[in-house]
Amino acid sequence: FGGLGQDFAFGAQGFWESDKRNMAIGEGFAGPGVTTVGGAALTFGSESFSETVNIGMFAQDRLAYADKLFATVGVRVDGNSAFGENYGLQAYPKFDMAYQMSQADFLPTFISSLKLRGAIGKAGQFPGAFDQFRTFSPQTVLDDVAGVSPSNPGNADLRPETTTEIEGGFDG
């Protein structure tokens, strides 16, 4: 259509990551050949669990004019179980432009390929699985009495770390 072209792309991604760990230690076995934790005089145990669910969607549209000028507009939207309960989805937009200068009449003929490029976009890293929650760590205090100490203050407004990147350059 008058030298205009267009490519539209979209997609989705999701993952569910679960990590469960159990550990047991035994000391003071009754005799030779007794090697299971249950056969020890003293036993210690530990466990941990984390789970992260991430769902993302992506769409972009690439426009071209006369195979010289190209522009791409896109966005990725992520939802993540690690985001705070007061925070919804995170959008990461992008825009880039390129101009194929080697097809221009004003360039010398010995330049067979020259393209100018520029781009701007956002990216992000989601927080850890339990960063939004107030957590405590178990502690043993005087005479083996169980207790806890603060571990993470929690944040219901927790959101991903984001960065904006600007690029410019040429291909030749």
Side-chain angles (χ1 to χ4, degrees):
F1 178 72
L4 291 176
Q6 176 186 20
D7 291 318
F8 181 74
F10 64 94
Q13 170 212 335
F15 67 84
W16 187 328
E17 193 175 77
S18 182
D19 184 25
K20 183 176 183 178
R21 297 175 189 221
N22 296 307
M23 180 183 73
I25 298 172
E27 290 181 4
F29 294 99
V34 180
T35 58
T36 62
V37 173
L42 296 172
T43 59
F44 308 92
S46 178
E47 64 182 333
S48 67
F49 175 77
S50 69
E51 184 174 70
T52 302
V53 179
N54 189 78
I55 296 175
M57 296 167 283
F58 171 78
Q60 78 173 18
D61 199 6
R62 182 175 187 220
L63 304 170
Y65 176 70
D67 280 336
K68 288 183 183 181
L69 182 62
F70 304 92
T72 305
V73 177
V75 66
R76 178 182 173 93
V77 178
D78 279 347
N80 191 292
S81 61
F83 295 168
E85 64 184 38
N86 296 336
Y87 191 78
L89 301 173
Q90 174 66 44
Y92 303 106
K94 74 171 195 166
F95 174 76
D96 68 64
M97 210 161 191
Y99 180 66
Q100 188 73 28
M101 290 189 63
S102 54
Q103 295 181 9
D105 295 334
F106 58 84
L107 284 178
T109 56
F110 66 86
I111 297 178
S112 62
S113 177
L114 181 62
K115 184 187 285 187
L116 296 179
R117 300 176 174 268
I120 185 169
K122 282 190 110 171
Q125 174 71 33
F126 55 85
F130 298 110
D131 290 351
Q132 70 169 308
F133 301 110
R134 177 177 294 144
T135 59
F136 299 90
S137 294
Q139 297 248 287
T140 303
V141 292
L142 302 172
D143 295 326
D144 294 332
V145 175
V148 295
S149 65
S151 179
N152 182 40
N155 183 353
D157 298 320
L158 191 63
R159 62 171 137 248
E161 295 177 12
T162 59
T163 184
T164 301
E165 184 174 325
I166 299 172
E167 297 177 359
F170 67 91
D171 296 342

Coordinates of all heavy atoms in Angstrom, one line a residue, residues 35-117:
T35 N 22.9 -46.2 60.3 CA 23.3 -45.0 59.5 C 22.1 -44.1 59.2 O 22.3 -43.1 58.5 CB 24.0 -45.4 58.2 OG1 23.1 -46.3 57.5 CG2 25.3 -46.2 58.6
T36 N 20.9 -44.4 59.6 CA 19.8 -43.6 59.2 C 19.6 -42.5 60.3 O 20.0 -42.7 61.4 CB 18.5 -44.4 59.1 OG1 18.2 -45.0 60.4 CG2 18.6 -45.5 58.0
V37 N 19.0 -41.4 59.9 CA 18.8 -40.3 60.8 C 17.9 -40.7 61.9 O 18.2 -40.3 63.1 CB 18.2 -39.1 60.0 CG1 17.8 -38.0 61.0 CG2 19.2 -38.5 59.0
G38 N 16.9 -41.6 61.7 CA 16.0 -42.0 62.7 C 16.8 -42.9 63.8 O 16.3 -43.0 64.9
G39 N 17.9 -43.4 63.5 CA 18.7 -44.2 64.4 C 19.7 -43.4 65.3 O 20.4 -43.9 66.0
A40 N 19.7 -42.1 65.1 CA 20.6 -41.2 65.9 C 20.0 -40.8 67.2 O 18.8 -40.7 67.4 CB 20.9 -40.0 65.0
A41 N 20.9 -40.5 68.1 CA 20.5 -40.0 69.5 C 19.9 -38.6 69.4 O 19.0 -38.2 70.1 CB 21.6 -40.1 70.4
L42 N 20.6 -37.8 68.5 CA 20.2 -36.4 68.4 C 19.8 -36.2 66.9 O 20.6 -36.6 66.0 CB 21.3 -35.4 68.8 CG 21.7 -35.4 70.2 CD1 23.0 -34.6 70.4 CD2 20.6 -34.9 71.1
T43 N 18.7 -35.6 66.6 CA 18.3 -35.3 65.2 C 17.9 -33.9 65.1 O 17.4 -33.2 66.0 CB 17.1 -36.2 64.8 OG1 16.0 -36.0 65.6 CG2 17.4 -37.7 64.8
F44 N 18.2 -33.3 63.9 CA 17.9 -32.0 63.6 C 17.3 -31.9 62.2 O 17.7 -32.7 61.4 CB 19.2 -31.1 63.6 CG 20.0 -31.2 64.8 CD1 21.0 -32.2 64.9 CD2 19.8 -30.4 65.9 CE1 21.8 -32.3 66.1 CE2 20.5 -30.5 67.1 CZ 21.5 -31.5 67.2
G45 N 16.3 -31.1 62.0 CA 15.7 -31.0 60.7 C 15.5 -29.5 60.3 O 15.4 -28.6 61.1
S46 N 15.3 -29.4 59.0 CA 15.1 -28.0 58.4 C 14.3 -28.2 57.2 O 14.4 -29.2 56.5 CB 16.4 -27.3 58.1 OG 16.2 -26.1 57.6
E47 N 13.5 -27.2 56.8 CA 12.8 -27.2 55.5 C 12.6 -25.8 55.0 O 12.6 -24.9 55.8 CB 11.4 -27.9 55.7 CG 10.5 -27.2 56.6 CD 9.1 -28.0 56.8 OE1 8.7 -28.7 55.9 OE2 8.5 -27.8 57.8
S48 N 12.4 -25.7 53.7 CA 12.1 -24.4 53.1 C 11.2 -24.6 51.9 O 11.2 -25.7 51.3 CB 13.4 -23.7 52.7 OG 14.1 -24.4 51.6
F49 N 10.5 -23.6 51.5 CA 9.6 -23.7 50.4 C 9.5 -22.3 49.8 O 9.4 -21.3 50.5 CB 8.2 -24.1 50.9 CG 7.2 -24.1 49.8 CD1 7.2 -25.1 48.8 CD2 6.2 -23.1 49.7 CE1 6.2 -25.1 47.8 CE2 5.3 -23.1 48.7 CZ 5.3 -24.1 47.7
S50 N 9.5 -22.2 48.5 CA 9.2 -21.0 47.8 C 8.5 -21.3 46.5 O 8.6 -22.4 45.9 CB 10.5 -20.2 47.5 OG 11.3 -20.8 46.5
E51 N 7.6 -20.3 46.1 CA 6.8 -20.5 44.8 C 6.7 -19.2 44.2 O 6.4 -18.2 44.8 CB 5.5 -21.1 45.2 CG 4.6 -21.4 44.1 CD 3.3 -22.1 44.5 OE1 2.5 -21.5 45.2 OE2 3.2 -23.3 44.3
T52 N 6.9 -19.1 42.9 CA 6.7 -17.9 42.1 C 5.9 -18.3 40.8 O 6.2 -19.2 40.1 CB 8.1 -17.4 41.6 OG1 8.9 -17.1 42.8 CG2 8.0 -16.1 40.9
V53 N 4.9 -17.4 40.5 CA 4.1 -17.6 39.3 C 4.2 -16.3 38.5 O 4.1 -15.2 39.1 CB 2.6 -17.9 39.7 CG1 1.8 -18.0 38.4 CG2 2.5 -19.1 40.6
N54 N 4.6 -16.4 37.3 CA 4.7 -15.3 36.4 C 3.9 -15.5 35.1 O 4.0 -16.6 34.5 CB 6.2 -15.0 36.0 CG 6.4 -13.7 35.3 OD1 6.5 -12.7 35.9 ND2 6.6 -13.8 34.0
I55 N 3.2 -14.5 34.7 CA 2.4 -14.6 33.4 C 2.7 -13.3 32.7 O 2.6 -12.2 33.3 CB 0.9 -14.7 33.7 CG1 0.7 -16.1 34.3 CG2 0.2 -14.6 32.4 CD1 -0.8 -16.3 34.7
G56 N 3.1 -13.4 31.4 CA 3.4 -12.2 30.6 C 2.8 -12.3 29.3 O 2.6 -13.4 28.7
M57 N 2.5 -11.1 28.7 CA 1.9 -11.0 27.4 C 2.8 -10.0 26.6 O 3.3 -9.0 27.2 CB 0.5 -10.6 27.4 CG -0.4 -11.6 28.1 SD -2.0 -10.9 28.4 CE -1.7 -10.0 29.9
F58 N 2.9 -10.1 25.3 CA 3.7 -9.3 24.5 C 3.0 -9.0 23.2 O 2.4 -9.9 22.6 CB 5.1 -10.0 24.2 CG 5.9 -9.3 23.2 CD1 6.7 -8.2 23.6 CD2 6.0 -9.8 21.9 CE1 7.5 -7.6 22.7 CE2 6.8 -9.1 21.0 CZ 7.6 -8.0 21.4
A59 N 3.1 -7.8 22.7 CA 2.6 -7.4 21.4 C 3.5 -6.3 20.8 O 4.0 -5.5 21.5 CB 1.2 -6.9 21.5
Q60 N 3.8 -6.4 19.5 CA 4.5 -5.3 18.8 C 4.1 -5.2 17.4 O 3.6 -6.2 16.8 CB 6.0 -5.6 18.9 CG 6.6 -6.6 17.9 CD 8.1 -6.7 17.9 OE1 8.7 -6.2 18.8 NE2 8.6 -7.2 16.8
D61 N 4.2 -4.0 16.9 CA 3.9 -3.7 15.5 C 5.1 -3.1 14.8 O 5.6 -2.1 15.4 CB 2.7 -2.8 15.4 CG 2.0 -2.8 14.1 OD1 2.3 -3.7 13.2 OD2 1.0 -2.1 13.9
R62 N 5.5 -3.6 13.7 CA 6.6 -3.1 13.0 C 6.1 -2.5 11.7 O 5.5 -3.2 10.9 CB 7.7 -4.1 12.7 CG 8.9 -3.6 12.0 CD 9.9 -4.7 11.8 NE 11.2 -4.1 11.3 CZ 11.9 -4.6 10.3 NH1 11.6 -5.8 9.9 NH2 13.0 -4.0 9.9
L63 N 6.4 -1.2 11.5 CA 6.0 -0.5 10.3 C 7.2 -0.2 9.4 O 8.3 0.1 9.9 CB 5.3 0.8 10.7 CG 4.1 0.7 11.6 CD1 3.7 2.1 12.1 CD2 2.9 0.0 10.9
A64 N 7.0 -0.3 8.1 CA 8.1 0.0 7.2 C 7.6 0.9 6.1 O 6.4 0.7 5.6 CB 8.6 -1.3 6.6
Y65 N 8.5 1.7 5.6 CA 8.1 2.6 4.5 C 9.2 2.5 3.4 O 10.4 2.8 3.7 CB 8.0 4.1 4.9 CG 7.7 5.0 3.8 CD1 6.5 5.0 3.1 CD2 8.7 5.9 3.3 CE1 6.2 5.8 2.0 CE2 8.4 6.7 2.3 CZ 7.2 6.7 1.6 OH 7.0 7.5 0.5
A66 N 8.9 2.0 2.2 CA 9.7 1.9 1.1 C 11.0 1.2 1.4 O 12.1 1.5 0.8 CB 10.0 3.3 0.5
D67 N 11.0 0.2 2.3 CA 12.2 -0.5 2.7 C 13.4 0.4 3.1 O 14.5 0.0 2.9 CB 12.6 -1.5 1.6 CG 11.8 -2.8 1.6 OD1 11.2 -3.1 2.6 OD2 11.7 -3.5 0.5
K68 N 13.0 1.5 3.6 CA 14.1 2.5 4.0 C 13.9 2.9 5.5 O 14.9 2.9 6.2 CB 14.0 3.8 3.2 CG 14.5 3.7 1.8 CD 14.5 5.0 1.1 CE 14.9 4.9 -0.3 NZ 14.9 6.2 -1.0
L69 N 12.7 3.1 5.8 CA 12.4 3.6 7.2 C 11.6 2.6 7.9 O 10.5 2.1 7.4 CB 11.6 5.0 7.1 CG 11.3 5.6 8.4 CD1 12.5 6.0 9.2 CD2 10.4 6.9 8.2
F70 N 12.0 2.2 9.1 CA 11.4 1.2 9.9 C 11.1 1.7 11.3 O 12.0 2.3 11.9 CB 12.2 -0.1 10.0 CG 12.6 -0.6 8.7 CD1 13.8 -0.2 8.1 CD2 11.8 -1.6 8.0 CE1 14.2 -0.7 6.8 CE2 12.2 -2.1 6.8 CZ 13.4 -1.7 6.2
A71 N 10.0 1.4 11.9 CA 9.6 1.8 13.2 C 8.9 0.6 13.9 O 8.0 0.0 13.3 CB 8.7 3.0 13.3
T72 N 9.3 0.3 15.1 CA 8.6 -0.7 15.9 C 8.1 -0.2 17.2 O 8.9 0.5 17.9 CB 9.6 -1.9 16.2 OG1 10.2 -2.3 15.0 CG2 8.9 -3.0 16.9
V73 N 6.9 -0.5 17.5 CA 6.3 -0.1 18.8 C 5.8 -1.4 19.5 O 5.2 -2.2 18.8 CB 5.1 0.8 18.6 CG1 4.4 1.1 19.9 CG2 5.5 2.1 17.9
G74 N 6.2 -1.6 20.7 CA 5.8 -2.8 21.4 C 5.6 -2.6 22.9 O 6.0 -1.6 23.5
V75 N 5.0 -3.6 23.5 CA 4.8 -3.6 25.0 C 4.8 -5.0 25.5 O 4.2 -5.9 24.8 CB 3.6 -2.8 25.4 CG1 2.3 -3.5 24.9 CG2 3.5 -2.5 26.9
R76 N 5.4 -5.2 26.7 CA 5.2 -6.5 27.4 C 4.6 -6.1 28.7 O 4.9 -5.2 29.4 CB 6.6 -7.1 27.6 CG 6.5 -8.4 28.4 CD 7.9 -9.0 28.7 NE 7.7 -10.1 29.6 CZ 7.5 -11.4 29.2 NH1 7.5 -11.7 28.0 NH2 7.4 -12.3 30.1
V77 N 3.6 -6.9 29.1 CA 2.9 -6.7 30.4 C 3.1 -8.0 31.2 O 2.8 -9.1 30.8 CB 1.4 -6.4 30.2 CG1 0.7 -6.3 31.5 CG2 1.2 -5.2 29.3
D78 N 3.6 -7.8 32.4 CA 3.8 -9.0 33.3 C 3.0 -8.8 34.6 O 2.8 -7.8 35.2 CB 5.3 -9.0 33.8 CG 6.2 -9.7 32.7 OD1 5.7 -10.3 31.8 OD2 7.4 -9.5 32.8
G79 N 2.6 -10.0 35.1 CA 2.0 -10.1 36.4 C 2.8 -11.2 37.1 O 3.2 -12.2 36.5
N80 N 3.1 -11.0 38.4 CA 3.9 -11.9 39.1 C 3.5 -12.0 40.5 O 3.1 -11.0 41.2 CB 5.4 -11.4 39.1 CG 6.4 -12.4 39.6 OD1 6.4 -12.7 40.7 ND2 7.2 -12.9 38.6
S81 N 3.5 -13.2 41.1 CA 3.1 -13.5 42.4 C 3.9 -12.8 43.5 O 3.6 -12.6 44.6 CB 3.0 -15.0 42.7 OG 4.3 -15.6 42.6
A82 N 5.1 -12.4 43.1 CA 6.0 -11.7 44.0 C 5.7 -10.2 44.2 O 6.2 -9.6 45.1 CB 7.5 -11.9 43.5
F83 N 4.9 -9.7 43.3 CA 4.5 -8.3 43.4 C 3.7 -8.1 44.7 O 3.0 -9.1 45.0 CB 3.7 -7.8 42.2 CG 4.4 -7.8 40.9 CD1 3.7 -7.6 39.7 CD2 5.8 -7.9 40.8 CE1 4.4 -7.5 38.5 CE2 6.5 -7.8 39.6 CZ 5.8 -7.7 38.4
G84 N 3.7 -7.0 45.3 CA 2.9 -6.7 46.5 C 1.4 -6.8 46.2 O 1.0 -6.6 45.1
E85 N 0.6 -7.1 47.2 CA -0.8 -7.2 47.0 C -1.5 -5.9 46.6 O -2.6 -6.0 46.0 CB -1.5 -7.7 48.3 CG -1.4 -6.8 49.5 CD -2.0 -7.4 50.8 OE1 -1.8 -8.6 51.0 OE2 -2.6 -6.6 51.5
N86 N -0.9 -4.8 46.8 CA -1.4 -3.5 46.3 C -0.9 -3.1 44.9 O -1.2 -2.0 44.5 CB -1.1 -2.4 47.3 CG -1.7 -2.6 48.6 OD1 -2.7 -3.3 48.8 ND2 -1.1 -2.0 49.7
Y87 N -0.2 -4.0 44.3 CA 0.4 -3.7 43.0 C -0.1 -4.7 41.9 O -0.2 -5.9 42.2 CB 1.9 -3.8 43.0 CG 2.6 -3.2 41.8 CD1 2.7 -1.8 41.7 CD2 3.1 -4.0 40.8 CE1 3.3 -1.3 40.5 CE2 3.7 -3.5 39.7 CZ 3.8 -2.1 39.6 OH 4.4 -1.6 38.4
G88 N -0.5 -4.2 40.8 CA -1.1 -5.0 39.7 C -0.1 -5.5 38.7 O 0.9 -6.2 39.0
L89 N -0.3 -5.1 37.5 CA 0.6 -5.5 36.4 C 1.6 -4.5 36.1 O 1.5 -3.3 36.4 CB -0.3 -5.7 35.1 CG -1.4 -6.7 35.2 CD1 -2.3 -6.7 34.0 CD2 -0.8 -8.1 35.5
Q90 N 2.7 -4.9 35.5 CA 3.8 -4.0 35.1 C 4.0 -4.0 33.6 O 4.1 -5.1 33.0 CB 5.1 -4.5 35.7 CG 6.4 -3.7 35.3 CD 6.3 -2.2 35.8 OE1 6.0 -1.9 36.9 NE2 6.7 -1.3 34.9
A91 N 4.0 -2.8 33.0 CA 4.1 -2.7 31.5 C 5.6 -2.3 31.2 O 6.1 -1.4 31.9 CB 3.1 -1.7 31.0
Y92 N 6.1 -2.9 30.2 CA 7.5 -2.6 29.7 C 7.3 -2.2 28.2 O 7.4 -3.0 27.3 CB 8.4 -3.8 29.8 CG 8.5 -4.3 31.2 CD1 7.9 -5.5 31.6 CD2 9.3 -3.6 32.2 CE1 8.1 -6.0 32.9 CE2 9.4 -4.1 33.5 CZ 8.8 -5.3 33.8 OH 8.9 -5.8 35.1
P93 N 7.2 -0.9 27.9 CA 7.1 -0.4 26.5 C 8.4 -0.3 25.8 O 9.5 -0.2 26.5 CB 6.4 0.9 26.7 CG 6.9 1.5 28.0 CD 7.0 0.2 28.9
K94 N 8.4 -0.4 24.5 CA 9.6 -0.2 23.7 C 9.2 0.5 22.4 O 8.1 0.4 21.9 CB 10.3 -1.5 23.4 CG 9.6 -2.4 22.4 CD 10.5 -3.5 22.0 CE 10.0 -4.2 20.7 NZ 11.0 -5.1 20.2
F95 N 10.2 1.2 21.9 CA 10.1 1.9 20.6 C 11.5 1.9 19.9 O 12.5 2.2 20.6 CB 9.6 3.3 20.7 CG 9.6 4.1 19.5 CD1 8.6 3.9 18.5 CD2 10.5 5.0 19.2 CE1 8.6 4.6 17.3 CE2 10.5 5.8 18.0 CZ 9.5 5.5 17.1
D96 N 11.5 1.6 18.6 CA 12.8 1.7 17.9 C 12.5 2.2 16.5 O 11.4 2.0 16.0 CB 13.6 0.4 17.9 CG 13.0 -0.7 17.2 OD1 12.9 -0.6 15.9 OD2 12.7 -1.7 17.8
M97 N 13.6 2.8 15.9 CA 13.5 3.3 14.6 C 14.8 3.0 13.9 O 15.9 3.1 14.5 CB 13.2 4.8 14.6 CG 12.5 5.3 13.5 SD 11.8 6.9 13.9 CE 10.7 7.0 12.6
A98 N 14.7 2.8 12.6 CA 15.9 2.5 11.8 C 15.7 3.1 10.4 O 14.6 3.1 9.9 CB 16.2 1.0 11.7
Y99 N 16.8 3.7 9.8 CA 16.7 4.2 8.5 C 17.9 3.7 7.7 O 19.0 3.7 8.0 CB 16.8 5.8 8.6 CG 16.8 6.4 7.2 CD1 15.6 6.4 6.4 CD2 17.9 7.1 6.7 CE1 15.6 7.0 5.2 CE2 17.8 7.7 5.4 CZ 16.6 7.6 4.7 OH 16.6 8.2 3.5
Q100 N 17.5 3.1 6.5 CA 18.5 2.4 5.6 C 19.0 3.5 4.7 O 18.5 3.9 3.7 CB 17.7 1.4 4.8 CG 18.6 0.5 3.9 CD 19.5 -0.5 4.8 OE1 19.1 -0.9 5.8 NE2 20.6 -0.8 4.3
M101 N 20.2 4.1 5.2 CA 20.7 5.2 4.4 C 21.4 4.8 3.1 O 21.6 5.6 2.2 CB 21.8 6.0 5.3 CG 21.1 6.7 6.4 SD 22.2 7.8 7.3 CE 22.7 8.9 6.0
S102 N 21.8 3.5 3.0 CA 22.6 3.1 1.8 C 21.7 3.2 0.6 O 22.3 3.2 -0.5 CB 23.1 1.7 2.0 OG 22.1 0.8 2.4
Q103 N 20.4 3.3 0.7 CA 19.6 3.5 -0.5 C 19.3 5.0 -0.8 O 18.7 5.3 -1.8 CB 18.2 2.8 -0.2 CG 18.4 1.3 -0.1 CD 17.0 0.6 0.1 OE1 16.0 1.3 0.0 NE2 17.0 -0.6 0.5
A104 N 19.9 5.9 -0.1 CA 19.8 7.3 -0.3 C 20.7 7.7 -1.5 O 21.8 7.2 -1.7 CB 20.1 8.1 0.9
D105 N 20.2 8.7 -2.3 CA 21.0 9.1 -3.5 C 22.2 9.9 -3.1 O 23.1 10.0 -3.9 CB 20.1 10.0 -4.3 CG 18.9 9.1 -4.9 OD1 19.1 7.9 -5.1 OD2 17.9 9.7 -5.2
F106 N 22.3 10.5 -1.9 CA 23.4 11.4 -1.6 C 24.6 10.7 -1.1 O 25.7 11.3 -0.9 CB 22.9 12.5 -0.6 CG 22.4 11.9 0.7 CD1 23.2 11.6 1.7 CD2 21.0 11.8 0.9 CE1 22.7 11.1 2.9 CE2 20.5 11.3 2.1 CZ 21.4 10.9 3.1
L107 N 24.6 9.4 -0.9 CA 25.8 8.7 -0.4 C 26.7 8.2 -1.5 O 26.2 7.9 -2.6 CB 25.3 7.4 0.4 CG 24.8 7.7 1.8 CD1 24.4 6.3 2.4 CD2 25.8 8.3 2.7
P108 N 28.0 8.2 -1.3 CA 28.9 7.7 -2.3 C 28.6 6.2 -2.6 O 28.1 5.5 -1.8 CB 30.3 7.9 -1.7 CG 30.1 8.5 -0.4 CD 28.7 8.6 -0.1
T109 N 28.9 5.8 -3.8 CA 28.6 4.4 -4.3 C 29.4 3.4 -3.6 O 29.0 2.2 -3.5 CB 28.8 4.3 -5.8 OG1 30.1 4.7 -6.1 CG2 27.8 5.2 -6.6
F110 N 30.6 3.7 -3.0 CA 31.4 2.7 -2.3 C 30.8 2.3 -1.0 O 31.2 1.3 -0.4 CB 32.9 3.2 -2.2 CG 33.0 4.3 -1.3 CD1 33.2 4.1 0.1 CD2 33.1 5.6 -1.8 CE1 33.3 5.2 1.0 CE2 33.2 6.7 -0.9 CZ 33.4 6.5 0.5
I111 N 29.8 3.0 -0.5 CA 29.1 2.6 0.7 C 28.0 1.7 0.3 O 26.9 2.1 -0.2 CB 28.6 3.8 1.5 CG1 29.8 4.6 2.0 CG2 27.8 3.3 2.7 CD1 29.4 5.9 2.7
S112 N 28.1 0.4 0.5 CA 27.1 -0.6 0.1 C 26.0 -0.8 1.1 O 24.9 -1.2 0.8 CB 27.8 -1.9 -0.2 OG 28.4 -2.5 0.9
S113 N 26.3 -0.5 2.4 CA 25.3 -0.8 3.4 C 25.6 0.2 4.6 O 26.6 0.2 5.1 CB 25.4 -2.2 3.9 OG 24.5 -2.4 5.0
L114 N 24.5 1.0 4.9 CA 24.6 1.9 6.1 C 23.2 2.1 6.6 O 22.3 2.5 5.9 CB 25.2 3.2 5.7 CG 25.4 4.2 6.8 CD1 26.3 3.7 7.9 CD2 25.9 5.6 6.3
K115 N 23.0 1.7 7.9 CA 21.7 1.9 8.5 C 21.9 2.6 9.9 O 22.8 2.2 10.7 CB 21.1 0.5 8.8 CG 19.7 0.6 9.3 CD 19.1 -0.8 9.7 CE 18.7 -1.6 8.5 NZ 18.1 -2.8 8.9
L116 N 21.1 3.6 10.1 CA 21.1 4.3 11.4 C 20.0 3.7 12.2 O 18.9 3.4 11.8 CB 20.8 5.8 11.2 CG 21.9 6.6 10.4 CD1 21.4 8.1 10.3 CD2 23.2 6.5 11.1
R117 N 20.3 3.6 13.6 CA 19.3 3.0 14.5 C 19.2 3.8 15.8 O 20.2 4.4 16.2 CB 19.8 1.6 14.9 CG 19.9 0.6 13.7 CD 20.5 -0.7 14.3 NE 20.6 -1.8 13.3 CZ 19.6 -2.6 13.0 NH1 18.5 -2.6 13.7 NH2 19.7 -3.5 12.1

